[in-house]
């Protein structure tokens, strides 16, 4: 059986380490929920909210 050298392949084909970014997605969700829960939004009348805008630049748009 051939042994796959994952670290070498990752270095060659994933120079920006997107594997790490994507594998840490559950942690990113937890951080986002924690940040959202700690935000004080009670002073904003919900009747004034008509939509939500999600934006990003480059790879950060993956969250949207």
């Amino acid at each position: 059986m051939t042994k796959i050298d994952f670290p070498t392949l990752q270095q060659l084909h994933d120079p920006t380490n997107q594997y790490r970014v994507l594998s840490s997605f559950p942690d990113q969700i937890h951080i986002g929920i924690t940040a959202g829960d700690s935000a004080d939004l009670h002073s904003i009348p919900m009747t004034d909210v008509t939509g939500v805008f999600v934006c990003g630049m480059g790879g950060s748009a993956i969250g949207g």
Side-chain angles (χ1 to χ4, degrees):
M1 181 173 269
T2 304
K3 184 178 178 188
I4 297 173
D5 184 1
F6 186 74
T8 299
L9 289 173
Q10 185 178 9
Q11 188 175 14
L12 286 170
H13 300 288
D14 186 18
T16 60
N17 208 3
Q18 292 301 299
Y19 177 80
R20 181 191 54 78
V21 172
L22 290 174
S23 65
S24 69
F25 187 66
D27 295 329
Q28 296 172 39
I29 293 294
H30 179 70
I31 290 167
I33 290 171
T34 302
D37 285 346
S38 67
D40 183 15
L41 304 175
H42 293 90
S43 63
I44 301 172
M46 291 310 292
T47 54
D48 292 348
V49 178
T50 59
V52 176
F53 186 77
V54 178
C55 63
M57 185 171 75
S60 62
I62 195 170

